[in-house]
Amino acid sequence: MGTWGFVIRDSDGDAVSAGRGKVEHLLGNFQAELISCLHGVQEAVRLGIGNLVLETDALEVRQALYSNDFNASVAGGLVVELKFLVHVNFNCFQCLCVPRECNRVAHEIAASGYECDEGVEQILSSLPERINVIVADDLSAHE
């Protein structure tokens, strides 16, 4: 079992949306990160975002998005779906691999996914205070 989480930030770094959930049968970290990215991209589509920079701390996810090497893997269906969503919904797309410490907000949200029922995506209307503190710390570190 595992969890997933995402945060969508605007160009100033402010959080505009976030989501989390729990997965009962998870193959591993790669699949969990793909699920997080997929939910985040779906939310970006729902919000009408035209230009997207996807940040992940999983180099495999970035490699999967820019090659066909993972399409036949166990998680290949998720890779193909993610590529399709990106291709048809965004004017400009970039996937960056960032250090784990730059991805703290998403990891905190994912950790709170254990509070969700399995298979139920929860879009957060507001971020919990402990996560707002991390967002503020991130913003002040980049000023």
Side-chain angles (χ1 to χ4, degrees), residues 61-72:
V61 170
R62 185 180 187 290
Q63 291 169 337
L65 286 171
Y66 290 115
S67 75
N68 292 322
D69 297 342
F70 295 83
N71 292 4

Side-chain angles (χ1 to χ4, degrees), residues 15 25 28 38 41 47 51-52 57-58 62 71-72 79-80 89 92 100 102 115 117 120 132 136:
H25 303 286
L38 190 56
V41 167
L47 293 171
N51 300 322
L52 182 67
D57 58 13
R62 185 180 187 290
N71 292 4
V79 172
V80 170
N89 289 291
C92 183
R100 189 173 188 98
C102 294
E115 300 167 11
D117 292 330
V120 177
N132 276 325

Side-chain angles (χ1 to χ4, degrees), residues 30-103:
F30 179 57
Q31 183 188 26
E33 191 71 14
L34 283 171
I35 291 169
S36 295
C37 291
L38 190 56
H39 283 289
V41 167
Q42 289 169 336
E43 177 67 359
V45 170
R46 189 189 72 75
L47 293 171
I49 293 172
N51 300 322
L52 182 67
V53 176
L54 176 67
E55 293 184 345
T56 177
D57 58 13
L59 183 58
E60 280 184 310
V61 170
R62 185 180 187 290
Q63 291 169 337
L65 286 171
Y66 290 115
S67 75
N68 292 322
D69 297 342
F70 295 83
N71 292 4
S73 71
V74 175
L78 294 172
V79 172
V80 170
E81 184 176 359
L82 190 53
K83 285 179 178 181
F84 176 77
L85 283 173
V86 164
H87 178 73
V88 299
N89 289 291
F90 300 101
N91 300 324
C92 183
F93 173 79
Q94 185 179 13
C95 181
L96 303 176
C97 188
V98 298
R100 189 173 188 98
E101 59 270 9
C102 294
N103 213 2

